[in-house]
Amino acid sequence: MSEERGDGSDRIVTRRGVLRGLGGALAAASFAGTASADKDWLNVVEYGADPTGEEPINPVLEELPRDDDTILYFPEGRYLMDDEYRHVGFQGFGLSGDDATIVPDPGYDGRWLFKLGTYSQPGDDLYVEGLDFDFTADHTGLRAVQAQVSDDLLVQDLEVVGQHDSGKFGPFLFDITDPSGIGSIENVRIPEGGEFSKYTPGDIDVGPTGIIVSPYHEGKLWVRNCEVGAWPDNGLYCSTDSGRVVVEGGIFKNCNIACIRLSGDYSSIHDATVVVDSHREDDRNQRAIRLDGGAYNWVENVEIRLSEPNGRAISILNDVEWARIQDTDIVVDGDVPTKAVSVSPESGKVDLINSEIEFNTPGCAFHVEGPGSPDADRVYVLKSSITGGGDGTHGRHAVRIERGNGTFDRFDVEQTGTDYRRAVKVLGDGCRFTWGHYDATHIPIVNESDGTTFHGITTRSLDGYEGMKILDGSTDVTISESAIYNDVWEYGDVDVTYSDNSFL
């Protein structure tokens, strides 16, 4: 059904008719009132928009009604835009495409295509779906969609085709400005990434970011099943302090600075894949995941593969109050020195639970910085393992614990690399190691701290060295019910208590 205007032309398409035309693809979309049945769907072609890509559609868009509860519907075609479409303060609005492609005019010198709400004039109840953005022409690439709403955001099935090479804002920004608001970003694909600004006509520092969640985000935003390629400034960049971002699924690849840069209280990443398998000349630090800050950041069931490492797998920075890495697999290959998991000195508690790190490059697989006192914020490692053939040319120890008060329970470390490769060095006071296995080509465990407890562990040098070395000045060290191959080397003045051990 359609509403017939006085001039006989059909302008408004009902939602039922559009759903039929889309083969029911939108029928499953239900999100807090977005795309609800009482919205008016305006067919932009029926209003005069050119679907062939020959004439700009902006004059037509500007004349369309901006009533609340309105969705602009783009039938199959190509739509040329030579200016931004800006709509703020709305109550119920949307863009919907059916095999529709938006093409920026190469002569357009602006920065946005669709600017929907601002942080000072956010909209409410926004729905955007089913649009492609063609950035294949030279020096194209803009902010395709910037959406800042107080509540109720659903964005799904958007794709950028071609590389963003204009030196302008990256393609997407999404914020929920109300602390109680919610939104969801689903199936957004930007696989071809962006070019560094030094090679483009624009002036953005370094280059564009793929998806931004800005400091104005204060609500909760899901980012589901997105594909993010190589961006020069970050892939997904969450710079909120108080808002929450939950990443579910998706693949993130080869971004500079970080593929996923997360912040915000209770922000988390689940079931995602993060890959660094190539880098460009100007890529300087391609971290897979960077945790910037928040009361609790959680990385769970994530697969991280660094076959061409140019940065760390996970960086936990100082403003993170508590981080948990759980059920996560990390593989680092190559010959470039790096770290798998790095914990900054002023960060809070850190958990590594039921996770596996395979580390086949020089460097440190797990590096914990921080105060060495026994009352430091705890690092808790449970049922996790570190394996691999990384050598000792850039740091002999696969695990370096500089922070005190660590607990390492059923933590297994096996290092088969050359050049004096060791498993663990303990530098923080008051750490506890229980029921783990530690194998390395050189001496597996080196202790240079006070109050360390080793209980029920097995430690063995694969090349016949001592199973453990206690360095000069170490006091109040306890080794009990442990299996130690080739004895313990007490180097200098040490204080060690032994109880019920097996020396093999």
Side-chain angles (χ1 to χ4, degrees):
M1 296 290 294
S2 61
E3 180 178 307
E4 185 172 303
R5 289 170 49 118
D7 60 4
S9 60
D10 295 339
R11 300 295 189 181
I12 300 177
V13 181
T14 66
R15 182 171 183 259
R16 183 185 301 271
V18 172
L19 291 177
R20 186 185 306 115
L22 293 177
L26 301 180
S30 175
F31 187 85
T34 53
S36 59
D38 59 350
K39 283 185 170 59
D40 290 328
W41 290 61
L42 310 185
N43 185 325
V44 299
V45 173
E46 293 293 338
Y47 272 87
D50 176 17
T52 70
E54 297 295 326
E55 297 294 330
I57 66 172
N58 291 88
V60 175
L61 297 183
E62 292 302 323
E63 293 299 321
L64 287 172
R66 298 194 180 215
D67 300 331
D68 290 341
D69 296 322
T70 297
I71 291 180
L72 306 187
Y73 169 57
F74 295 79
E76 181 178 355
R78 293 174 64 82
Y79 298 89
L80 184 67
M81 292 186 67
D82 63 355
D83 203 350
E84 74 175 60
Y85 177 81
R86 187 175 189 269
H87 190 18
V88 301
F90 49 82
Q91 297 291 318
F93 182 70
L95 306 173
S96 178
D98 179 9
D99 197 17
T101 299
I102 306 298
V103 185
D105 190 314
Y108 173 40
D109 196 33
R111 295 189 182 276
W112 291 272
L113 292 176
F114 293 100
K115 191 173 187 180
L116 307 175
T118 66
Y119 70 89
S120 60
Q121 293 180 287
D124 188 80
D125 188 3
L126 175 64
Y127 176 59
V128 180
E129 69 88 30
L131 296 174
D132 292 347
F133 297 88
D134 187 348
F135 291 170
T136 56
D138 288 343
H139 302 149
T140 56
L142 305 112
R143 176 69 45 81
V145 176
Q146 178 164 318
Q148 293 176 298
V149 302
S150 58
D151 192 14
D152 287 356
L153 172 68
L154 175 58
V155 176
Q156 59 184 13
D157 301 327
L158 305 185
E159 181 169 2
V160 170
V161 180
Q163 188 183 54
H164 187 295
D165 66 351
S166 68
K168 298 179 180 179
F169 293 155
F172 297 111
L173 182 150
F174 305 112
D175 290 334
I176 308 297
T177 61
D178 190 304
S180 63
I182 58 175
S184 184
I185 311 302
E186 305 173 3
N187 302 316
V188 172
R189 300 185 65 250
I190 45 175
E192 298 183 59
E195 183 60 274
F196 283 82
S197 288
K198 64 184 290 185
Y199 304 114
T200 72
D203 56 3
I204 294 294
D205 186 38
V206 180
T209 294
I211 301 173
I212 294 178
V213 181
S214 88
Y216 297 106
H217 171 68
E218 296 188 6
K220 181 176 181 180
L221 181 69
W222 282 272
V223 179
R224 293 186 168 109
N225 299 319
C226 294
E227 181 179 354
V228 177
W231 293 86
D233 187 53
N234 282 283
L236 169 62
Y237 183 8
C238 308
S239 59
T240 176
D241 289 329
S242 56
R244 184 179 180 187
V245 178
V246 178
V247 179
E248 294 184 343
I251 183 167
F252 302 81
K253 298 182 65 174
N254 297 323
C255 296
N256 195 44
I257 302 180
C259 290
I260 301 176
R261 184 170 170 176
L262 197 71
S263 67
D265 293 349
Y266 299 96
S267 292
S268 55
I269 306 168
H270 310 269
D271 307 315
T273 299
V274 188
V275 176
V276 176
D277 59 8
S278 67
H279 56 266
R280 297 169 289 185
E281 178 182 354
D282 294 284
D283 286 320
R284 292 289 181 260
N285 191 4
Q286 293 172 286
R287 282 169 286 203
I289 295 173
R290 171 173 160 172
L291 304 181
D292 273 12
Y296 184 74
N297 291 165
W298 186 18
V299 177
E300 184 260 340
N301 197 35
V302 172
E303 181 180 353
I304 302 174
R305 303 193 305 269
L306 277 61
S307 60
E308 294 287 339
N310 184 21
R312 301 166 185 179
I314 300 178
S315 293
I316 302 171
L317 301 190
N318 287 323
D319 290 335
V320 177
E321 297 178 31
W322 192 344
R324 171 167 289 181
I325 302 166
Q326 183 173 0
D327 299 319
T328 288
D329 292 340
I330 301 172
V331 178
V332 183
D333 292 321
D335 55 9
V336 176
T338 189
K339 297 174 182 178
V341 177
S342 174
V343 180
S344 295
E346 297 178 18
S347 66
K349 297 178 181 179
V350 174
D351 301 333
L352 179 67
I353 298 175
N354 198 33
S355 295
E356 298 179 1
I357 301 173
E358 181 182 337
F359 196 76
N360 298 311
T361 196
C364 192
F366 187 43
H367 184 199
V368 181
E369 297 181 272
S373 59
D375 61 350
D377 284 326
R378 184 198 67 184
V379 170
Y380 179 50
V381 178
L382 173 66
K383 294 182 180 178
S384 295
S385 66
I386 295 176
T387 60
D391 63 44
T393 56
H394 291 79
R396 292 182 179 177
H397 307 89
V399 178
R400 183 177 175 89
I401 307 300
E402 300 174 13
R403 183 181 299 191
N405 192 33
T407 296
F408 304 85
D409 184 2
R410 284 158 285 179
F411 181 38
D412 299 332
V413 182
E414 182 182 34
Q415 292 293 291
T416 60
T418 59
D419 290 292
Y420 298 93
R421 189 58 164 174
R422 297 169 174 172
V424 178
K425 184 165 187 179
V426 188
L427 293 149
D429 295 338
C431 291
R432 295 164 293 280
F433 294 78
T434 58
W435 308 114
H437 287 75
Y438 301 88
D439 296 338
T441 50
H442 202 245
I443 300 172
I445 297 177
V446 178
N447 184 86
E448 191 176 1
S449 60
D450 300 335
T452 313
T453 298
F454 300 97
H455 179 80
I457 69 167
T458 300
T459 177
R460 179 180 60 141
S461 167
L462 302 176
D463 286 351
Y465 293 93
E466 292 85 353
M468 188 182 298
K469 184 177 183 179
I470 311 297
L471 290 179
D472 184 43
S474 299
T475 64
D476 193 26
V477 177
T478 300
I479 305 173
S480 61
E481 297 184 26
S482 296
I484 302 171
Y485 286 77
N486 291 331
D487 214 338
V488 175
W489 181 5
E490 297 184 358
Y491 184 81
D493 185 12
V494 300
D495 173 23
V496 184
T497 298
Y498 299 90
S499 175
D500 298 325
N501 297 295
S502 299
F503 292 95
L504 305 172

